[in-house]
Amino acid sequence: MKTILLAWLAVLMAGTAAQAAGTECIVPSKPGGAMDFTCKLARQGLLSLPEHGGAPMRISYMPGGIGAVAWHALVSQRRAEPDTLVAFSGGSLLNLAQGKFGKAKADDVRWVAALGADYGMIAVRADSPYHTLGELVTALKHHPEQVLIGVSGTIGSQDWLKIALVVKAAGVDPKVLRFVALEGGGEAFTAMHAGFVQVVSGDASEATLYSAGGSTRVLAVLSEQRLPGVLAKVPTAREQGYDVVWPVIRGVWMGPQVSEADYRKWVSAFDRALASPQFAQARASYGLYPFSLTGPALTAYVKKAVDDYGKRASELGLVR
């Protein structure tokens, strides 16, 4: 009980500090992953707007429960903060659909802006014996106990689903795989490079960052076609015989009791930022692809996505 009380005290103190510090973007995971990139992209896009006057957005980290800690902190304790944004992804919507945020629903918060799209990918270390997705799947089929797979979240998370769908397409039961649940893509890549896991099932934006130094080999991207940029030479899973495509939306939301005026202010700000050539360049630098929705249009998209994820999760027996 003492530990829980101390945790909530920390949340309340963080909320007070955030209000004093001005605009804040909360990353609901540890530093270095795609959620982190989302807040940094939001900050970079808004800096170019005259009304922000070059004032930087503070980025803070609130990992825990694959996003549940940040969700409940804002919904229960920081409901009306007018200058606090929280990063989200398609994985956040999947967690909502599966009941991993408790009784939370999409209507519980205010959806502000989708900043871009990402895609799933499967990666290993550059010195790994696996050079193709087929070689990895063969190893998982015959010796699954020898391969540890790092994922952000637990069984049923989007990172789990990505590789589960790949091996299922090859006739392998995902239940035989060995997973290590981690907090965010940054931690997953760190674990792989340290040798604690042999494979990362994550996102292309993360792979763009971690493959730049030559220490990572991306075996496949889960997109319809090959992606431009750093990963241009990486084949899709479809090319390698596994018909799995996994797009990932990335954006920001706000607390449920933020005033309509403040909410509209942020929606308008992101409308202008998303339309600028500078934002397009920044988005590309973070390994993301064009996908822009704000305000009511984004809210409608999120509700439909949560419904669709819920149906898919039910088919796999993953809904709580």
Side-chain angles (χ1 to χ4, degrees):
M1 179 62 72
K2 182 178 179 181
T3 301
I4 294 175
L5 289 173
L6 288 173
W8 276 111
L9 179 60
V11 167
L12 289 171
M13 291 175 66
T16 302
Q19 289 177 332
T23 304
E24 176 188 23
C25 187
I26 295 174
V27 178
S29 65
K30 292 185 177 180
M35 290 288 201
D36 194 358
F37 304 160
T38 302
C39 276
K40 289 176 178 175
L41 176 58
R43 177 173 64 185
Q44 195 166 339
L46 293 171
L47 276 175
S48 63
L49 299 180
E51 62 265 38
H52 285 267
M57 172 187 287
R58 188 170 72 91
I59 294 177
S60 59
Y61 300 89
M62 197 181 291
I66 53 175
V69 169
W71 181 279
H72 290 297
L74 266 290
V75 169
S76 63
Q77 300 292 331
R78 303 172 59 178
R79 296 170 61 84
E81 293 182 8
D83 294 310
T84 300
L85 304 169
V86 184
F88 79 91
S89 72
S92 310
L93 307 185
L94 178 62
N95 291 336
L96 275 175
Q98 293 179 355
K100 291 188 175 182
F101 290 174
K103 296 181 180 180
K105 301 189 182 306
D107 288 332
D108 291 346
V109 302
R110 309 201 75 167
W111 303 95
V112 180
L115 308 182
D118 201 349
Y119 289 93
M121 65 85 225
I122 310 296
V124 296
R125 278 180 20 168
D127 58 358
S128 169
Y130 312 120
H131 292 80
T132 67
L133 185 59
E135 290 178 357
L136 174 62
V137 171
T138 297
L140 292 172
K141 186 172 185 178
H142 297 293
H143 302 288
E145 74 284 353
Q146 296 180 7
V147 184
L148 284 175
I149 304 166
V151 298
S152 178
T154 56
I155 290 177
S157 69
Q158 69 165 346
D159 286 350
W160 181 90
L161 276 169
K162 292 167 192 170
I163 196 159
L165 291 172
V166 168
V167 300
K168 188 177 180 182
V172 179
D173 184 353
K175 293 179 181 178
V176 307
L177 304 184
R178 298 179 64 200
F179 292 95
V180 176
L182 300 162
E183 276 288 345
E187 188 171 274
F189 273 93
T190 298
M192 183 175 72
H193 290 144
F196 295 122
V197 300
Q198 289 74 54
V199 181
V200 167
S201 175
D203 299 321
S205 60
E206 297 163 348
T208 297
L209 174 66
Y210 289 99
S211 63
S215 59
T216 299
R217 177 186 300 141
V218 183
L219 300 181
V221 290
L222 306 184
S223 52
E224 295 88 348
Q225 300 175 342
R226 291 197 184 194
L227 301 175
V230 174
L231 303 181
K233 294 183 179 180
V234 178
T236 66
R238 277 181 172 175
E239 286 180 69
Q240 300 177 75
Y242 307 92
D243 190 12
V244 179
V245 174
W246 193 277
V248 184
I249 182 179
R250 299 209 172 277
V252 292
W253 56 266
M254 305 184 75
Q257 290 184 348
V258 172
S259 72
E260 185 66 20
D262 285 318
Y263 174 65
R264 288 181 179 177
K265 177 193 74 174
W266 281 108
V267 169
S268 176
F270 276 107
D271 279 336
R272 294 193 298 281
L274 290 167
S276 72
Q278 293 86 351
F279 183 86
Q281 293 173 358
R283 180 177 56 208
S285 73
Y286 283 106
L288 297 180
Y289 305 91
F291 186 88
S292 301
L293 285 177
T294 62
L298 174 60
T299 301
Y301 175 93
V302 165
K303 289 180 180 179
K304 184 179 186 305
V306 170
D307 288 342
D308 291 343
Y309 279 136
K311 293 174 183 176
R312 181 179 292 187
S314 293
E315 292 171 357
L316 294 173
L318 297 172
V319 176
R320 292 182 175 181

